[in-house]
Amino acid sequence: AMAGAAAARLRAEIRRRERELRGLRERLRPSWLLGFPAELPPLPARSALSAAEILRYSRQLVLPDSVLVVGCGGLGCPWRSTWRRPAWAAWGWWITTWWRRATAAAGAARRGARGRPKARSAAARCGGFNSAVQYVPYRGALGPRSALRLVRQYDIVADCSDNVPTRYLVSDACVLAGKPLVSGSALRLEGQLVVYNYRGGPCYRCLFPEPPPPDTVTNCADGGVLGVVTGIIGCMQALEVLKIASGMGSSFHQYMLMFDALEGRFRNIKLRPKKADCAVCGDSPSITCLQDYEAFCGSSATDKCRTLQLLPSKDRISVERYKELLDERVPHVLLDVRPQVEVDICRLEHAVHIPLRKLEEKDEEYLQYLQKRIREEKQRTDEQTSFPVYVICKLGNDSQKAVKILQELPVKEFGSVLAKDIKGGLMAWATKIDSTFPQY
Amino acid sequence: MVSVLYFARSAELAGLRCENPLGPRQKSALQLWRRSVKLAVIRDQVVFAVRQEYVLLGDQLLLLQPGDEVAIIPPISGG
């Protein structure tokens, strides 16, 4: 009888736990399904903190403001640890695209399965740190149609995004909505932090009226970024948001913080005040609503690499065709034009390496080396036709630029050379030909 | 000695991170800027700072003192 009673008690316990679990699942679900641009669910009415909350936050701040964090990669992730402690009676609103191949920094939040939106896994993990804070994940890329409405619902905006169009979009939206923008960015070993549109300081356009030509922008996917650098800048962004939210103010509306990790130095560059003739925050602005920022910047709102089409298809070959040529032992020179640092990661053994930059500069030493290699290979054939030079890089963009340069080389010195680029570069080689070849 | 510091993209374009130009101590911001022709493509996308202070790229004359730092700072957009 005692065993039966114990079993009944356990069954009742299991039912109770299952009910609790269902309840918890229900609570989580609506926030995961929020559409864009949803109205914020109201904060639960609370007149005061509970005794437990007062104990938990006795040494810290209680902040009434809400914060919109745009992007949760390397810069957005460190926020999670800063939200762990302060009694942030606020909404975290994460906006991002779906999981991509993560950078080293983004790896910090990579707990959920691949294919899960980063915002969702980040918010879910934050909720695990501090259940008193409400985190609202938002999935989808921020666009001109939704940005203003969203930004208006918040007190402070933090830009943790990774591309130029989004930076102009978020800045313009903050100017139009009258919100301070705590903007952080990082690339390689450098980081920058500025608070825009705050207490008479400049907006992003005051400092950078025109977007950079797309060719001159290095993104993290191409250039790489050290996770510690994004971590440092991301934490400083969180700090400035806390200061603004608590009324302490920030001095980075007058200064740009620059972090040079290589030199180990922070610099504060005194900035100009807002520009009287700024197109968006000036005295008579020409921009009064959000625009098409991808068209404005000539690049897409993502940090993924662009695919260029510089050459006609007769000047390009596929990786499959190149593999055939290799197997048939057709005499040729394979020219790898990636920077040295990438060649050090991985390379095809038989490739001749000359960085694109050296070709562009018409570097004598490198050109002579190329000439020598072509001559050596050419001796193996007795054909008089044009000698093939195949050019490869990481993704097939730089290789096209290199082919254009090779096509203009003097025939007198190099002989007749038929240059073609290998479409999709080494990354196509890795996916289509040799699965053991590293992808980076 | 005056140092010109190149950051982010400008360091890539100029091919160096720091240099110590010689010449007259009085130069305009534009003259300083034009030292490197390769930077022309990013002219509207930089913060040009002398002694850690924003300077408009114009014809106004700057009196450079030994130890002064000129910085060319393009925005970085990664994250």
Side-chain angles (χ1 to χ4, degrees), chain A residues 92-306:
Chain A
W93 186 281
W94 302 72
I95 295 175
T96 187
T97 45
W98 285 79
W99 264 112
R100 329 156 276 209
R101 233 151 33 92
T103 59
R110 199 198 319 171
R111 275 289 173 87
R114 290 254 171 115
R116 258 182 101 184
K118 267 199 288 196
R120 186 169 121 184
S121 47
R125 291 204 68 214
C126 283
F129 291 145
N130 190 338
S131 57
V133 182
Q134 279 170 302
Y135 305 95
V136 182
Y138 185 74
R139 192 188 79 206
L142 195 64
R145 287 169 65 182
S146 50
L148 193 53
R149 211 173 137 196
L150 198 62
V151 164
R152 283 205 173 109
Q153 298 183 63
Y154 289 86
D155 300 304
I156 304 166
V157 179
D159 188 348
C160 301
S161 69
D162 60 8
N163 62 79
V164 183
T166 304
R167 290 191 180 274
Y168 279 99
L169 165 71
V170 174
S171 174
D172 285 1
C174 284
V175 171
L176 297 177
K179 310 287 180 180
L181 171 63
V182 180
S183 173
S185 57
L187 184 71
R188 297 199 174 120
L189 290 156
E190 287 176 58
Q192 293 175 352
L193 172 81
V194 186
V195 177
Y196 292 112
N197 194 41
Y198 183 60
R199 297 188 178 170
C203 77
Y204 194 68
R205 277 186 198 260
C206 291
L207 293 188
F208 311 113
E210 294 292 327
D215 287 349
T216 69
V217 178
T218 311
N219 61 25
C220 287
D222 269 347
V225 62
L226 198 61
V228 185
V229 177
T230 54
I232 287 166
I233 298 295
C235 285
M236 296 219 46
Q237 277 183 280
L239 174 64
E240 293 313 303
V241 166
L242 285 165
K243 282 161 63 187
I244 293 170
S246 63
M248 284 186 250
S250 169
S251 51
F252 291 115
H253 63 301
Q254 290 172 328
Y255 292 91
M256 170 192 274
L257 176 81
M258 289 178 55
F259 175 48
D260 182 342
L262 195 64
E263 210 186 338
R265 200 166 152 190
F266 287 95
R267 281 185 179 79
N268 277 7
I269 305 291
K270 178 107 173 61
L271 294 175
R272 57 166 303 143
K274 80 189 232 173
K275 210 167 116 189
D277 59 348
C278 174
V280 63
C281 79
D283 298 335
S284 45
S286 57
I287 297 164
T288 51
C289 61
L290 297 179
Q291 314 170 293
D292 181 344
Y293 292 85
E294 295 192 330
F296 174 61
C297 298
S299 58
S300 63
T302 148
D303 79 336
K304 288 185 186 61
C305 303
R306 300 176 311 137

